[in-house]
Amino acid sequence: MISDTHAPRRWKSCPPRVAECLAGVDLILHAGDVCVPTVLDELSAFAPVRAVLGNNDNEDVAAWGAPEALELDLEGLSVAMIHDSGPSKGRIARMRRTFPNAQLVIFGHSHIPMDLAEDGLRVFNPGSPTDRRRQPHGTVGLLTIEQGVLSDAQIIPVT
């Protein structure tokens, strides 16, 4: 999964290390701030893409098919995705109220990679591969789901 690509300012084309991480995946989730739909088209060459709108996304990204929030069943795992999960304080409770059936909520916006589980809910932010801000590396996320269980979640440095 990926978030906050911020094209064309930050993402000119898929960085080679990101392409390596995407090779062979079954689905790409983009947690918003795509900025231009050509990024989603480019990602679609690797695998089907589902995306949500970020605060920097325009009507072209919405027309591509990105809603504000998304709920998916991935092999029996209930997954929700939103760009901005709000402030860190109260995040788990807020995401539980927003997505009461979700087992996993994926979000972006902060550019800060995060993998946190509490009260039966896991929240995951893959960070940004192209705009690391104060983080040591640009990052993407890789999830492995087997028989409705999230068996592995990785935050992978790509810079």
Side-chain angles (χ1 to χ4, degrees):
M1 94 198 64
I2 194 166
S3 185
D4 297 286
T5 46
H6 291 278
R9 188 170 54 95
R10 297 282 185 178
W11 174 289
K12 307 300 184 200
S13 66
C14 187
R17 181 73 177 110
V18 173
E20 288 174 24
C21 293
L22 296 177
V25 301
D26 297 321
L27 178 68
I28 298 170
L29 301 175
H30 195 301
D33 276 1
V34 177
C35 300
V36 294
T38 54
V39 171
L40 300 172
D41 293 334
E42 183 178 13
L43 293 173
S44 293
F46 294 96
V49 176
R50 300 296 304 269
V52 293
L53 291 173
N55 57 299
N56 288 298
D57 290 329
N58 60 31
E59 60 206 29
D60 293 339
V61 176
W64 189 91
E68 289 187 23
L70 185 60
E71 294 185 66
L72 305 160
D73 180 300
L74 299 180
E75 294 189 26
L77 183 73
S78 179
V79 178
M81 189 165 58
I82 192 166
H83 179 63
D84 186 355
S85 67
S88 59
K89 183 174 181 170
R91 178 177 285 132
I92 295 283
R94 186 172 45 259
M95 292 298 96
R96 172 61 65 217
R97 286 189 307 274
T98 304
F99 303 107
N101 299 316
Q103 297 166 280
L104 170 67
V105 176
I106 297 164
F107 68 99
H109 189 61
S110 68
H111 299 218
I112 300 171
M114 173 187 296
D115 183 7
L116 177 67
E118 185 180 305
D119 296 330
L121 179 64
R122 191 164 188 170
V123 295
F124 193 96
N125 185 330
S128 171
T130 55
D131 187 2
R132 63 183 180 84
R133 293 193 180 161
R134 296 172 302 281
Q135 302 307 303
H137 304 284
T139 55
V140 297
L142 183 61
L143 304 177
T144 303
I145 300 168
E146 299 172 317
Q147 300 176 347
V149 175
L150 179 59
S151 61
D152 191 34
Q154 299 176 49
I155 294 171
I156 302 170
V158 293
T159 60

